[in-house]
Amino acid sequence: MAIVHLYGKKMKLKIWLLATLLPMATSVFAQKKIYTLEEVWQKVLLYPSVTSKEELVRRQQALKNLIQQQSMPEVQVQAQQTYGSYASVPGSFFPLPGIYNTSGTKQSNEALYGSNMYVSALLQWDFMQFGRQQKKIAVADSRIKLSQAAVSQEAFRLQSLSTRYYFGVLESSTLLTHFTADAKRLSDLLDLERAQADAGLRPGADTLLVKAAYLDAISRIANQQAILASLREQLSALTGEAAFNFGFDTTLYQRFTESTYLEGAPKSTHPYLVYLDAAIQQYNAELAAVKKEPYPSIGLLAGTGIRGSGIEVNGDINKSITAPWTNNNGSYLVGVGVTWKLSSLYNNRQKRKAVVHQAEAAKSEYEAADRQLQAAYAAALESWKEQKLKVQNARLSLQASQQAYDLYTVRYESGLISLVELLQLQKSLQDAEINYVRSVFTFWNSLIEQSEAFGDPSLLLTAIKP
């Protein structure tokens, strides 16, 4: 009777602990936000690598604006007030851009000094470049599209990576639940063995045998907790949310539609193929621009200037600093210029060859990627078909193992089977649980691979039952 009383006190203690800790655990987990898969995707789109590539898009847009501004006329304005010698030239001026010389008053041979003034403006407008400017803008547009495709590709990569972590967390959490249930079964059996051993109904060796199995179950729980924590931290790094601030609805791990799959084959709208196609278009635009480089440029040049010095009409020198402003004259110059770099014709042929090779390499890479995606989808589809049957069989096996264990537990308590036989049945039940969880994970993984090959992650959302 004392042994039965002691066993009853242990059970009461467990019940009291559960009653005390359960509300605390509920309040803690209630504060966590339960993230759906869609919400995880929205979070990862804020990852710095996406922001970085978005900034590169803005950079390319700014470079395009710069190219467009280069088609506008260039105007240079300058003004200077100098003080120097008249000995060698009619006025002393620094050779700044936009200055053009005009004849001045003849001066004496004496080395005299005085003040000079010069204000000028120069306009240069290459109004005809035989299509070079338009081709440069086309290259800028192609680079913008390539940068935008890089943003989409990075977003899709992060979505795929976070999806794998998400379902990894669900699998690990489900396994942890089964390992905990297994430890609970062994814990109850250990309490029973201890009570019966103390009463002399069972040998003490049985207690040690169950204890060893129980400690092994505790080790599996600790190992699975470490795996789960690692996956949560990796997902936390992508979402930017602290791992202890979010939770998941683990029930959806086993809420799936077995008939969900994508028909057809991967299309050219796949983010990776779109990026490679944008790279091909960029090389084609660069090739068209290179072909225009040998053509000449025709431009308009116009300039005007006001020049003054301290030299009077009669040849006298007025050394006053303001003299040039009262003794000055203006002039202008207008002309049309042609610029043609004939020496670049050979170099241009080499540039063409280089760009052509780049374009051909990009086309080959596109074709290789397309084949790889086709093969990946076909393999994922076949795996999905096999895993669908495997999940059904694993579910039936788990149900049979659970029923058998419950029946044989009653037989053990009645003394009809040995402890070793019960532990073997318990191990079979545990193997069936693990096999079912991992079969479900492989099923989800085949859907993930299908969505990655298609470039359409929404397949996973349609596979989750509400």
Side-chain angles (χ1 to χ4, degrees):
M1 292 297 293
I3 295 174
V4 174
H5 179 68
L6 178 61
Y7 179 71
K9 288 181 66 178
K10 289 183 177 179
M11 291 301 297
K12 289 179 181 179
L13 179 60
K14 288 183 178 181
I15 295 173
W16 180 83
L17 287 173
L18 288 173
T20 304
L21 297 177
L22 186 59
M24 295 174 61
T26 303
S27 63
V28 171
F29 285 105
Q31 297 175 2
K32 294 185 177 181
K33 176 175 175 55
I34 304 300
Y35 279 97
T36 64
L37 184 57
E38 287 180 291
E39 290 172 332
V40 169
W41 288 346
Q42 293 172 359
K43 280 281 188 179
V44 299
L45 293 181
L46 302 177
Y47 196 70
S49 62
V50 176
T51 305
S52 172
K53 295 188 181 303
E54 289 174 343
E55 290 297 329
L56 292 179
V57 174
R58 299 185 185 96
R59 176 181 179 273
Q60 294 298 335
Q61 290 172 339
L63 291 176
K64 177 185 176 181
N65 295 336
L66 181 61
I67 292 173
Q68 290 174 329
Q69 291 175 0
Q70 290 175 353
S71 63
M72 303 299 293
E74 293 184 7
V75 179
Q76 300 181 40
V77 178
Q78 64 176 355
Q80 57 175 292
Q81 176 82 29
T82 61
Y83 194 88
S85 172
Y86 294 122
S88 58
V89 294
S92 300
F93 300 100
F94 298 115
L96 297 179
I99 294 179
Y100 54 92
N101 193 25
T102 59
S103 61
T105 306
K106 184 178 180 181
Q107 302 178 38
S108 65
N109 294 327
E110 298 182 46
L112 300 176
Y113 302 90
S115 180
N116 302 279
M117 175 271 295
Y118 192 82
V119 178
S120 69
L122 177 66
L123 180 143
Q124 181 177 356
W125 180 25
D126 293 334
F127 59 87
M128 184 176 293
Q129 300 186 42
F130 297 93
R132 279 206 304 271
Q133 186 68 15
Q134 290 79 3
K135 295 303 180 183
K136 288 180 181 178
I137 293 176
V139 171
D141 287 332
S142 67
R143 288 174 178 171
I144 291 174
K145 290 181 181 179
L146 182 63
S147 299
Q148 291 172 339
V151 173
S152 300
Q153 184 185 19
E154 179 65 11
F156 179 72
R157 185 188 72 84
L158 291 173
Q159 281 184 328
S160 299
L161 185 59
S162 62
T163 300
R164 290 185 176 275
Y165 286 149
Y166 185 87
F167 281 96
V169 168
L170 296 183
E171 181 209 24
S172 186
S173 299
T174 306
L175 282 174
L176 185 60
T177 300
H178 285 294
F179 288 162
T180 303
D182 181 60
K184 177 65 168 58
R185 290 192 294 263
L186 290 172
S187 176
D188 294 341
L189 183 59
L190 180 60
D191 290 341
L192 178 61
E193 288 296 326
R194 283 173 176 170
Q196 291 183 346
D198 291 342
L201 302 177
R202 295 277 184 182
D206 286 356
T207 302
L208 296 176
L209 187 62
V210 176
K211 183 178 180 180
Y214 173 71
L215 292 177
D216 186 54
I218 295 298
S219 298
R220 284 195 297 272
I221 290 175
N223 182 63
Q224 196 61 43
Q225 285 176 335
I227 295 174
L228 177 59
S230 175
L231 290 170
R232 287 176 62 88
E233 289 296 336
Q234 289 173 316
L235 189 57
S236 172
L238 292 179
T239 60
E241 188 81 28
F244 56 82
N245 284 341
F246 61 85
F248 304 96
D249 181 9
T250 56
T251 62
L252 67 82
Y253 183 70
Q254 302 180 54
R255 299 199 325 259
F256 52 85
T257 303
E258 295 181 357
S259 60
T260 302
Y261 70 100
L262 291 171
E263 297 182 355
K267 300 179 177 60
S268 59
T269 54
H270 192 288
Y272 187 44
L273 294 180
V274 170
Y275 176 82
L276 293 177
D277 182 67
I280 294 173
Q281 298 306 319
Q282 178 190 335
Y283 292 133
N284 290 337
E286 289 180 355
L287 179 60
V290 169
K291 290 179 179 180
K292 291 290 183 179
E293 286 183 0
Y295 289 87
S297 296
I298 300 178
L300 172 66
L301 295 173
T304 183
I306 299 176
R307 178 175 182 175
S309 69
I311 305 175
E312 303 292 346
V313 178
N314 58 8
D316 294 336
I317 303 299
N318 185 351
K319 295 185 179 181
S320 172
I321 193 69
T322 60
W325 297 94
T326 57
N327 182 28
N328 59 72
N329 64 332
S331 58
Y332 66 89
L333 179 67
V334 178
V336 176
V338 178
T339 303
W340 197 351
K341 298 180 180 180
L342 297 177
S343 61
S344 65
L345 295 178
Y346 175 78
N347 294 337
N348 184 263
R349 287 198 295 268
Q350 302 306 314
K351 286 183 181 180
R352 288 188 191 184
K353 291 181 180 180
V355 177
V356 166
H357 291 316
Q358 285 180 322
E360 291 300 324
K363 291 178 183 178
S364 298
E365 189 175 355
Y366 180 94
E367 184 179 353
D370 185 51
R371 292 184 183 182
Q372 290 173 0
L373 290 174
Q374 300 287 346
Y377 172 73
L381 184 59
E382 291 300 319
S383 174
W384 172 80
K385 292 177 181 178
E386 294 179 2
Q387 290 304 319
K388 183 170 63 170
L389 297 175
K390 186 176 180 181
V391 167
Q392 294 173 353
N393 294 333
R395 184 188 298 112
L396 294 175
S397 176
L398 175 59
Q399 293 173 353
S401 296
Q402 183 65 61
Q403 293 173 359
Y405 180 78
D406 292 340
L407 291 174
Y408 277 96
T409 299
V410 175
R411 290 172 62 84
Y412 172 74
E413 292 175 350
S414 302
L416 299 178
I417 63 172
S418 66
L419 176 62
V420 173
E421 292 175 307
L422 182 63
L423 290 177
Q424 289 176 343
L425 290 168
Q426 187 271 340
K427 183 65 169 58
S428 297
L429 174 58
Q430 181 192 49
D431 291 341
E433 290 173 338
I434 295 174
N435 182 55
Y436 175 68
V437 173
R438 290 179 175 167
S439 297
V440 172
F441 178 76
T442 308
F443 177 86
W444 280 116
N445 189 64
S446 64
L447 288 178
I448 293 173
E449 290 176 348
Q450 287 184 55
S451 68
E452 289 177 345
F454 250 83
D456 183 11
S458 62
L459 169 66
L460 296 166
L461 302 180
T462 59
I464 300 174
K465 285 185 178 180

